[in-house]
């Protein structure tokens, strides 16, 4: 867990959500790195790796798995976008950070959200996992980059 945002984040809850998600999906052994950054850093990463010159809420980077115990990948979350999305939804920023962690974890597990149907499936999976964690769900959740929270 890396926090470049200099904001208070729910580190333990994020770790528990990720461990629970990976266990539930019987993910292969490996580490997941979660980094919380600001909009400048995520915009730079989005520009470099996706050729989109704009901030986004979450990016995932998967690692090739040739040996056991290699990293599964990295999740990078914009604290600024999480705060903005939470405010638009009337939710707590900490809750949004956990939702984005789960969303990123689902990407690492092979889920995609390129189409409306895929995005709907990811939201259902995220909410199923939030229920398992006994956390509040949002069946209409979406990220600002996908046109949500308008």
């Amino acid at each position: 867990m890396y926090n470049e945002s200099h904001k208070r984040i729910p580190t333990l809850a994020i770790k528990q959500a990720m461990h629970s998600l990976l266990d539930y999906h019987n993910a292969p052994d490996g580490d997941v790195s979660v980094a919380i950054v600001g909009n400048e850093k995520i915009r730079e990463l989005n520009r470099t790796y996706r050729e989109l010159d704009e901030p986004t809420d979450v990016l995932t980077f998967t690692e090739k798995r040739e040996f056991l115990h290699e990293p599964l990948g990295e999740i990078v979350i914009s604290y600024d976008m999480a705060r903005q999305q939470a405010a638009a939804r009337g939710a707590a920023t900490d809750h949004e950070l956990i939702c984005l962690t789960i969303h990123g974890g689902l990407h690492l597990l092979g889920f995609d959200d390129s189409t409306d149907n895929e995005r709907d499936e990811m939201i259902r999976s995220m909410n199923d996992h939030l229920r398992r964690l006994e956390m509040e769900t949002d069946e209409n959740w979406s990220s600002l980059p996908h046109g949500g929270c308008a």
Side-chain angles (χ1 to χ4, degrees):
M1 184 90 205
Y2 174 72
N3 181 11
E4 187 180 284
S5 74
H6 306 293
K7 306 290 185 188
R8 187 200 60 77
I9 59 170
T11 303
L12 183 58
I14 287 172
K15 287 180 180 180
Q16 289 172 336
M18 183 54 56
H19 285 291
S20 177
L21 180 71
L22 296 175
D23 286 347
Y24 181 79
H25 286 278
N26 296 311
D29 286 343
D31 294 325
V32 173
S33 172
V34 177
I36 309 296
V37 300
N39 272 350
E40 278 187 43
K41 181 64 173 181
I42 208 156
R43 181 180 188 158
E44 174 189 323
L45 293 169
N46 207 20
R47 182 176 47 243
T48 300
Y49 294 101
R50 297 181 63 220
E51 299 180 359
L52 295 172
D53 191 12
E54 61 191 18
T56 189
D57 53 356
V58 62
L59 292 171
T60 56
F61 300 94
T62 57
E63 301 291 329
K64 294 186 181 214
R65 298 190 46 80
E66 297 175 15
F67 303 100
L68 293 177
H69 304 292
E70 283 192 354
L72 292 174
E74 182 173 13
I75 300 168
V76 182
I77 298 170
S78 167
Y79 182 90
D80 301 321
M81 291 291 284
R83 186 185 64 225
Q84 187 178 358
Q85 288 176 182
R89 216 180 322 287
T93 301
D94 285 0
H95 186 269
E96 188 69 12
L97 289 167
I98 293 166
C99 288
L100 290 169
T101 299
I102 293 168
H103 186 84
L106 289 168
H107 275 299
L108 293 179
L109 293 169
F111 285 74
D112 196 7
D113 60 358
S114 299
T115 68
D116 288 341
N117 287 341
E118 291 171 335
R119 195 169 305 116
D120 290 346
E121 178 59 29
M122 282 192 78
I123 292 167
R124 274 192 298 279
S125 295
M126 181 188 74
N127 279 306
D128 287 346
H129 194 67
L130 288 169
R131 275 189 278 286
R132 284 190 292 280
L133 294 170
E134 299 179 356
M135 295 182 70
E136 186 175 336
T137 63
D138 183 349
E139 301 304 323
N140 297 311
W141 185 91
S142 64
S143 64
L144 289 173
H146 291 297
C149 305

